C-alpha cells in the first residue's frame, strides 16, 4: 500500500529545479524604489570621477612657480583676488603672484595648478586687499584631485546581478541613474494544506494547530525577492485542493503548497500533480528534514510541494525554491552562501542521510562556530526563531563530535554562485 | 581664522549621542506587516507544543498491551476500526484488539497509547474488515509525540529586541499573534547641502557633481529601520539653510544633513547650530574618514551633520546615527557587529587616527579575511558599492601588514550590544 519513491541527491534535485530557471523581464524603477533589487545591467561611469580637476580641501589655488625658492626665511606673498565655493566657477583668471581662495570640491580655477591648504598659508590684509604668505615651495599638481583619478568614463564599476545596497545606490546616483534597470519579481502563490490548521486569529481546539508555515514562507519569499500571494489554507479534500491549485496557477509564476506531500491517506498533492498532468521532478530527496519535498513543472511554471512540518518546510524553501526566485530577480548568487564552521556541540545521532541542522553561528575571534539552535526534529518550530544558518551534516555517519568542521549555509549571507554538492559526501573530521 | 576644534574618541562620541537615546512607542502591527521589525515584548507560549499528544507520522494508534509477547513467529492481529486524519477526532473508542489508522499530526485517539508506523504493520482485509498484523512488541508511549515535549505553556521563547525574520514569524503565528507588538520607527529627515550638487536627473555642468549622499543615506536609514524623509538639496546660503533646518525639525525625530560641517567659508552648519541654540555634542572625532562628523541636540531631537564626502558620510551614519535609530525601533543589538578578520592586503600608510577602511570580507575555510574594497580616500564613492564591512585600523601606527588581525564591523550582520571602544587603542599584530 505504501508508494515506493526513489530518493535523489540534493544536488540533483536542485539541478532539476534550475532546469526551469528563468530571468524576469527587465523593468526600470525609480532609484528611490531600487533598494534590495538586483542590477540587471552593469553600472558604467558616464563621466570621469572626479569630473574635473578640483580642490580636495579648503585652501588656496595658486601657480606653483610663484613659490619657487620660497622658504621660512624667504616667504612669498600672493594676492587673494577672489573666494569661490564648491559649485561656483572663478570669475577672474589669476596672474602671476595671485591666488584664489577655494573650498573643498571647487573646480581648480583656470590659471592655477596647485592647492595650498589653509594651515600652510598665513593670511594678511592691508590696503584693503587680502594676501597670503607661503613659506615653502610647491610643485604643479600638489594637492590637486585630478579629473578621472578615481574612475575613468566608460569603466564598468559594478557587475550585473549585484544587490542594490546603500553603496551601490550612491554610485547609481553619481552616474545619473534616475531610473535603474532591474528584473521583475516573480509572484509566488502560497497555500497551506491540512484540515488540522487554524488561522492565526482562531482559538485553539482539540486536534488542531495554528498554521505557521504560510506566514513563515511568506517572509522567506520576500527575503528571496519574490512577491508572495497567500491564498489561504485548504482542507484535506481532493476536489477543493485540485480546483484551488489549478486556478491559482494561472495567476502566479510559482505555486508553493505546504503539507500533503507525504504518503498519508489525505496527502493529495501527488494525485493533484497527476491529474494536472504536471511533470514531477522529484518527490523524495536523500536529506533530513524535508525528504518528501516535491517539485513539479506544469506549463513552464513550477509547483513546490513543501513538507507540512515547519522545519522541513523551511529547509525545503531555502534549498530548492529560493535559488529559483533569486535567479528570476537577477541575482548572480542565488544559492545560500556556504562557509565552514566548527561545531561547538556534538551531534551523536546516527545520520544515514545528509542532515540540515537549524543552527546559530557565532564568531570566536576570526573563526566561525556553529551549534544547533534548539531541538532538532522536523516538526519543531521554536528553534527556527534562533536560526541564522543551516549546518550540513553529511549522511553516512554515526554522528559528529564537538570540534568537527562542517559546511554551514548562511541564511542572511550574500549568497553563492554554486549549489551545495552532496553527490560524493564524505564525513569530515 | 581657522576654528580650533577638540577631537574626541569614537567611543565618547557614540556615548554622547546615546545619552539622547529613546525607544519609540509600542504599536501593534498585523503579523503580515511585521517583517524586519523588532519584538517589543518577548514571545510567550500561550499553549503547550505540541498542544496535545499526537502521532508524529502516518501509522496506527494502538494499545501497547495488545502487542505483549508479539514476535515474528507469534504475530498479533488488530482490527482497524477507523481512519482519521490530522485535525479530525476519532469517533469511536477502540477496545482491546482494535486499532485506529492515523495520519501525521493526528490527536492520539482516546484509549490508545502507542503509534505503529505503516512500515511495521502488515495490512490485511477479510470479511469486509481491515486488520493489521504486528510482529514485535511495543511499550506505552512508543512513537507518540507528547503534549508540551517541545515547549511548555508560559515559556518565553524569544526575547524582546529580536528582529522578526521568517523563523520568528513562524513562532508568532503558532502562538496566535495576529497583531505583533513592535516599536514605532523614527522619522529621519535628510538634507544634502552644497551649491555644487546636481540632482540625479540633471545634466552635468562645470564645477558641479551629482548628489549621491542623500540617496545613499536614505537607504542607510531604511536598513537601520528608520523612515527616511528626503527634503532635497540646499545651496550654500545661510538663511536658506537655517530656515530649512529649523522648519524641518518640527516634522522629524532626527535630522541629518550632509556637507557643510567643515571649516570652509560656506560650511554653515556650525553657525546654524549656534543660531538654533542647539547643544553641540561634538564636532571633531579622532577618526578617518569623517573627522568632522558633528552631532547636536535641540529640544530632545538630534541633528547629525555628516561630512559631504561620500565615504566619510557613510561611515558617520553607520557609527553614530545607526545605533540611535536601531535603539528607537527596539533592537537589542544597535551597534554594528564587531568580529575579527585577517587582512589579506597590507595598508602601509601612516595612521595617526583610527581609520575605517571600506572593506570586503570573505571566508577562507571557517576564518574571515578582509581587504579594502577599493581606493581609500574620503571623497571616493566607487569603493562603497563593494563594501560589506568597515575594517578598523587603530590609530598610532605606521601601517598594517598582510596577515594582521583587525576588528571588522559587519554592515549586514546581526549587530552588537556594545559599541566599538577606541579609548585605549593598541596596535595589534
Amino acid at each position: 500500500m505504501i508508494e515506493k519513491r526513489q530518493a535523489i541527491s540534493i544536488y540533483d534535485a536542485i539541478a532539476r529545479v534550475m532546469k526551469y530557471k528563468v530571468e524576469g523581464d527587465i523593468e526600470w524603477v525609480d532609484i528611490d524604489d531600487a533598494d534590495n533589487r538586483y542590477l540587471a545591467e552593469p553600472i558604467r561611469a558616464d563621466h570621469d570621477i572626479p569630473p574635473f580637476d578640483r580642490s580636495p580641501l579648503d585652501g588656496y589655488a595658486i601657480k606653483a612657480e610663484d613659490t619657487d625658492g620660497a622658504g621660512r626665511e624667504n616667504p612669498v606673498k600672493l594676492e587673494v583676488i577672489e573666494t569661490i565655493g564648491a559649485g561656483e566657477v572663478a570669475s577672474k583668471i589669476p596672474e602671476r603672484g595671485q591666488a584664489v581662495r577655494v573650498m573643498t570640491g571647487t573646480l581648480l580655477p583656470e590659471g592655477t595648478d596647485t592647492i595650498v591648504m589653509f594651515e600652510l598659508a598665513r593670511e594678511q590684509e592691508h590696503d584693503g586687499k587680502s594676501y597670503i604668505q607661503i613659506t615653502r615651495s610647491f610643485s604643479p599638481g600638489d594637492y590637486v584631485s585630478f579629473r578621472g583619478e578615481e574612475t575613468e568614463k566608460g569603466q564598468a564599476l559594478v557587475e550585473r546581478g549585484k544587490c542594490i545596497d546603500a553603496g551601490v545606490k550612491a554610485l547609481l546616483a553619481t552616474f545619473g541613474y534616475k531610473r535603474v534597470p532591474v528584473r521583475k519579481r516573480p509572484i509566488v502563490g502560497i497555500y497551506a494544506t491540512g484540515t488540522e490548521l487554524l488561522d492565526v486569529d482562531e482559538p485553539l481546539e482539540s486536534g488542531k494547530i495554528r498554521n505557521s508555515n504560510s506566514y513563515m514562507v511568506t517572509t522567506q519569499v520576500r527575503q528571496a525577492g519574490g512577491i508572495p500571494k497567500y491564498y489561504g489554507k485548504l482542507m484535506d479534500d481532493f476536489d477543493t485542493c485540485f480546483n484551488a491549485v489549478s486556478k491559482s496557477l494561472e495567476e502566479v509564476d510559482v505555486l508553493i503548497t505546504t503539507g500533503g506531500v507525504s504518503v498519508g491517506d489525505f496527502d493529495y498533492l501527488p494525485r493533484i500533480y497527476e491529474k494536472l498532468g504536471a511533470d514531477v521532478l522529484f518527490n523524495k530527496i536523500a536529506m533530513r528534514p524535508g525528504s518528501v519535498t516535491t517539485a513539479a513543472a506544469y506549463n513552464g511554471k513550477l509547483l513546490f510541494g513543501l513538507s507540512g512540518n515547519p522545519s522541513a518546510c523551511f529547509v525545503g524553501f531555502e534549498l530548492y525554491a529560493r535559488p529559483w526566485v533569486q535567479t528570476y530577480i537577477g541575482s548572480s548568487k542565488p544559492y545560500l552562501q556556504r562557509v565552514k564552521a566548527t561545531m561547538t556541540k556534538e551531534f551523536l545521532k546516527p545520520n544515514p542521510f545528509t542532515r540540515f541542522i537549524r543552527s546559530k553561528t557565532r564568531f570566536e575571534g576570526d573563526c566561525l562556530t556553529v551549534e544547533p539552535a534548539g531541538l532538532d526534529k522536523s516538526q519543531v518550530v521554536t528553534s527556527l526563531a534562533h536560526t541564522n544558518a543551516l549546518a550540513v551534516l553529511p549522511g553516512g555517519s554515526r554522528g559528529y563530535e564537538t570540534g568537527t568542521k562542517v559546511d554551514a549555509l548562511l541564511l542572511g549571507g550574500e549568497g553563492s554562485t554554486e549549489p551545495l554538492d552532496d553527490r560524493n559526501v564524505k564525513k569530515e573530521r
Side-chain angles (χ1 to χ4, degrees), chain A:
Chain A
M1 285 288 283
I2 305 167
E3 177 198 348
K4 276 287 168 210
R5 296 182 179 183
Q6 183 64 42
I8 66 171
S9 71
I10 297 160
Y11 186 90
D12 287 339
I14 295 171
R16 289 185 192 182
V17 166
M18 294 303 274
K19 251 183 65 184
Y20 289 87
K21 75 179 180 190
V22 52
E23 288 190 318
D25 292 337
I26 292 181
E27 61 180 353
W28 292 74
V29 299
D30 193 278
I31 186 170
D32 284 321
D33 301 322
D35 283 8
N36 296 321
R37 305 291 291 265
Y38 289 75
L39 291 171
E41 293 175 7
I43 300 180
R44 282 188 190 282
D46 75 341
H47 62 269
D48 295 328
I49 294 191
F52 43 81
D53 298 346
R54 70 183 175 192
S55 176
L57 36 81
D58 301 324
Y60 294 91
I62 65 165
K63 298 170 193 286
E65 58 182 331
D66 282 343
T67 65
D68 286 351
R72 197 172 290 261
E73 305 302 318
N74 185 29
V76 299
K77 197 162 96 175
L78 305 177
E79 184 195 353
V80 181
I81 58 168
E82 190 174 9
T83 297
I84 54 173
E88 297 176 346
V89 177
S91 64
K92 302 171 187 165
I93 299 177
E95 294 169 7
R96 286 216 51 168
Q98 294 188 322
V100 179
R101 186 174 163 97
V102 293
M103 301 302 130
T104 306
T106 303
L107 173 73
L108 189 73
E110 198 182 331
T112 68
D113 55 22
T114 301
I115 300 292
V116 179
M117 67 186 78
F118 280 176
E119 291 84 342
L120 298 179
R122 184 141 158 232
E123 290 146 15
Q124 301 177 336
E125 300 232 347
H126 50 84
D127 304 335
K129 290 183 175 176
S130 293
Y131 297 89
I132 50 171
Q133 208 175 348
I134 298 174
T135 55
R136 52 161 282 197
S137 66
F138 288 86
S139 304
D142 278 356
Y143 295 99
V144 173
S145 185
F146 288 103
R147 173 176 179 153
E149 74 175 16
E150 182 184 337
T151 301
E152 285 180 17
K153 180 175 173 173
Q155 221 178 312
L157 297 170
V158 187
E159 294 302 311
R160 58 170 284 200
K162 176 119 178 41
C163 187
I164 298 173
D165 58 15
V168 172
K169 218 161 141 195
L171 223 58
L172 287 167
T174 299
F175 294 114
Y177 285 82
K178 168 70 175 157
R179 297 185 78 77
V180 182
V182 298
R183 290 190 184 276
K184 285 201 166 141
R185 303 164 65 197
I187 297 171
V188 181
I190 300 164
Y191 275 112
T193 76
T195 301
E196 76 275 25
L197 299 179
L198 297 168
D199 263 330
V200 64
D201 50 359
E202 287 182 279
L204 284 182
E205 54 183 276
S206 191
K208 302 210 169 190
I209 59 170
R210 289 212 190 86
N211 166 23
S212 60
N213 285 338
S214 26
Y215 295 94
M216 178 179 78
V217 170
T218 293
T219 297
Q220 288 179 288
V221 168
R222 268 194 218 113
Q223 296 281 2
I227 300 172
K229 187 176 169 91
Y230 175 48
Y231 284 104
K233 57 191 170 73
L234 294 169
M235 303 283 277
D236 292 322
D237 174 79
F238 181 81
D239 290 332
T240 308
C241 290
F242 178 80
N243 293 334
V245 165
S246 53
K247 187 165 179 318
S248 308
L249 269 174
E250 296 164 17
E251 304 173 349
V252 301
D253 297 295
V254 168
L255 187 65
I256 290 177
T257 51
T258 62
V261 283
S262 190
V263 293
D265 298 0
F266 311 111
D267 288 335
Y268 290 128
L269 266 301
R271 276 171 272 174
I272 288 171
Y273 301 138
E274 194 183 337
K275 185 168 173 184
L276 269 177
D279 179 20
V280 174
L281 308 180
F282 51 82
N283 58 16
K284 192 166 186 182
I285 308 169
M287 66 183 270
R288 295 284 183 278
S291 65
V292 296
T293 307
T294 299
Y298 176 67
N299 271 352
K301 291 177 178 181
L302 282 179
L303 297 100
F304 288 98
L306 304 181
S307 167
N309 282 326
S311 289
C313 177
F314 185 89
V315 171
F317 180 90
E318 294 297 323
L319 289 181
Y320 306 105
R322 185 180 185 281
W324 189 94
V325 172
Q326 278 267 299
T327 300
Y328 192 101
I329 62 170
S331 166
S332 57
K333 295 180 173 176
Y335 303 101
L336 291 179
Q337 189 177 353
R338 193 166 74 256
V339 301
K340 290 282 178 197
T342 302
M343 291 172 67
T344 46
K345 280 199 181 156
E346 63 190 12
F347 185 87
L348 293 180
K349 283 200 270 186
N351 202 38
F353 301 100
T354 296
R355 186 180 287 272
F356 295 89
I357 312 270
R358 281 73 69 203
S359 297
K360 174 82 185 152
T361 61
R362 285 187 184 81
F363 279 94
E364 285 185 9
D366 60 336
C367 292
L368 200 66
T369 66
V370 66
E371 67 178 53
L375 266 180
D376 190 68
K377 289 188 173 182
S378 64
Q379 70 270 32
V380 160
V381 65
T382 47
S383 60
L384 286 170
H386 304 284
T387 293
N388 72 352
L390 301 173
V392 185
L393 303 191
S397 91
R398 300 196 58 77
Y400 292 87
E401 279 161 30
T402 301
T404 310
K405 279 191 192 179
V406 295
D407 280 328
L409 304 178
L410 302 183
L411 296 175
E414 61 176 302
S416 166
T417 55
E418 297 295 328
L420 184 73
D421 190 348
D422 64 328
R423 288 173 300 177
N424 191 17
V425 292
K426 282 202 183 64
K427 194 173 157 188
E428 295 180 47
R429 285 278 174 185

